[in-house]
């Protein structure tokens, strides 16, 4: 089967989604922790 | 690409993401139970789960563990550029310490067409990209240590106020035994775990793991992956 454009790109895109998801989780998590700390002072 | 294939090719990230969420939920509920049991003894109002996960007590408990993990990886990533351990798969070859030459690092004119764009670019972009993993771990370490300080000040002051003691300013809290006890108890466990990994992997094996040498590799072999 000839690889389609989608099958050639998707694995890379999937890994990028994982990278962004972790980044967003950590940055979002840190923002949340700072916000709680500052609001409850 | 099928969903099953996508899951399989990122199974490590999915697994850790999933157990992260589950253990965070577990920490929230067990932390709430512990907090409520302590306030009940002092005749203070108990919290709901929503109130607890938005409390500085929960925030400082999360942050103190995050900072130590990122410190561990920051040190491991950066120190293994210069420090070595003969026989450990976690170490580079003992005579290859330092940042290595451009050819080995495939940067600048030694980059291939498949290399990341900033590895080919040269100048500040390649310099920045060459240290990006250490930089991001360093930023997350400082960020979570800062969050520990901010949330810890608030959490500690709420305990002090319950005991009719004057609250501390943030700089005062940064010098307090509570802050450093929280910090150092996490650091020591990370350093022990990393040191153990470096040393035990010289003589012990885990078949199939890239963190181990191949089972039949000699004990003196350094920097090989199974």
């Amino acid at each position: 089967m000839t690889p389609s454009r989608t099958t050639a790109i998707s694995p890379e895109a999937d890994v990028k989604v994982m990278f962004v998801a972790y980044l967003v989780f950590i940055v979002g998590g840190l923002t949340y922790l700072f916000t709680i700390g500052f609001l409850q002072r | 690409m099928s969903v099953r294939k996508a899951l399989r090719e990122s199974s490590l990230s999915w697994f850790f993401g999933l157990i992260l969420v589950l253990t965070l939920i577990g920490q929230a509920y067990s932390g709430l139970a512990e907090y409520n049991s302590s306030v009940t003894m002092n005749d203070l109002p108990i919290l709901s789960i929503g109130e607890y996960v938005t409390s500085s007590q929960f925030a400082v408990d999360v942050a103190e563990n995050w900072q130590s993990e990122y410190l561990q990886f920051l040190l491991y990533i950066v120190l293994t550029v210069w420090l070595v351990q003969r026989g450990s798969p976690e170490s580079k070859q003992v005579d290859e310490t330092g940042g290595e030459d451009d050819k080995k690092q495939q940067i600048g004119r030694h980059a291939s067409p498949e290399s990341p764009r900033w590895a080919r670019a040269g100048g500040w972009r390649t310099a920045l990209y060459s240290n990006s993993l250490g930089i991001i771990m360093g930023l997350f370490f400082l960020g979570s240590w800062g969050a520990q300080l901010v949330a810890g000040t608030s959490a500690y002051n709420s305990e002090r106020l319950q005991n009719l003691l004057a609250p501390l300013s943030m700089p005062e809290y940064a010098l307090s035994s509570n802050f450093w006890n929280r910090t150092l108890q996490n650091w020591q466990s990370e350093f022990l775990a990393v040191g153990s990994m470096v040393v035990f992997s010289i003589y012990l094996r885990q078949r199939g793991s890239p963190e181990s040498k191949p089972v039949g590799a000699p004990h003196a072999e350094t920097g090989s992956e199974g």
Side-chain angles (χ1 to χ4, degrees):
Chain A
M1 189 182 82
T2 310
S4 68
R5 187 176 166 77
T6 312
T7 53
I9 290 172
S10 289
E12 177 80 4
D14 182 59
V15 172
K16 254 183 205 161
V17 167
M18 197 60 80
F19 177 84
V20 172
Y22 267 79
L23 201 60
V24 167
F25 183 91
I26 298 159
V27 173
L30 287 177
T31 308
Y32 178 72
L33 298 175
F34 266 109
T35 306
I36 289 173
F38 277 120
L39 288 182
Q40 301 208 346
R41 286 182 68 197
Chain B
M1 189 168 65
S2 70
V3 173
R4 187 182 295 179
K5 190 166 182 244
L7 284 174
R8 194 174 64 235
E9 291 190 357
S10 294
S11 54
L12 200 54
S13 318
W14 276 109
F15 176 77
F16 278 102
L18 184 66
I19 59 170
L20 161 65
V21 171
L22 293 177
T23 48
L24 207 47
I25 293 169
Q27 183 190 338
Y29 277 97
S30 57
L32 172 68
E34 192 202 351
Y35 180 85
N36 281 344
S37 115
S38 73
V39 293
T40 307
M41 283 187 279
N42 296 320
D43 286 332
L44 291 164
I46 61 166
L47 297 182
S48 68
I49 186 69
E51 287 167 332
Y52 181 68
V53 297
T54 51
S55 72
S56 52
Q57 191 59 54
F58 175 72
V60 69
D61 288 346
V62 172
E64 73 172 51
N65 285 281
W66 282 21
Q67 60 87 358
S68 66
E69 303 303 331
Y70 283 111
L71 174 66
Q72 173 192 167
F73 280 109
L74 167 66
L75 290 180
Y76 206 43
I77 290 161
V78 175
L79 292 181
T80 49
V81 175
W82 292 283
L83 304 183
V84 293
Q85 175 56 60
R86 185 183 297 281
S88 177
E90 300 295 321
S91 166
K92 55 163 72 178
Q93 299 299 325
V94 295
D95 54 358
E96 286 181 355
T97 56
E100 301 172 355
D101 60 33
D102 290 1
K103 189 176 178 188
K104 188 163 185 197
Q105 287 293 317
Q106 304 171 45
I107 54 177
R109 62 190 178 89
H110 302 286
S112 70
E114 290 81 35
S115 295
R117 210 181 320 150
W118 280 31
R120 287 197 303 267
W124 68 271
R125 282 175 295 183
T126 299
L128 182 64
Y129 188 62
S130 299
N131 296 291
S132 52
L133 189 58
I135 289 170
I136 200 84
M137 293 294 170
L139 289 176
F140 289 155
F141 162 61
L142 291 176
S144 40
W145 204 18
Q148 179 195 329
L149 175 63
V150 172
T153 306
S154 164
Y156 190 58
N157 281 341
S158 92
E159 278 176 35
R160 285 179 65 88
L161 289 170
Q162 283 171 17
N163 294 315
L164 305 177
L165 293 168
L168 300 183
S169 67
M170 207 177 292
E172 283 170 336
Y173 180 69
L175 297 172
S176 72
S177 55
N178 182 279
F179 177 73
W180 283 101
N181 182 39
R182 282 181 177 276
T183 297
L184 295 174
Q185 67 173 293
N186 281 283
W187 287 5
Q188 57 84 13
S189 64
E190 305 305 336
F191 300 155
L192 173 66
V194 172
S196 306
M197 179 71 183
V198 170
V199 172
F200 289 155
S201 60
I202 300 170
Y203 298 106
L204 306 178
R205 307 284 187 271
Q206 184 60 53
R207 184 172 178 159
S209 174
E211 304 304 318
S212 164
K213 293 192 275 195
V215 180
H219 295 323
E221 192 171 299
T222 308
S224 63
E225 292 180 352

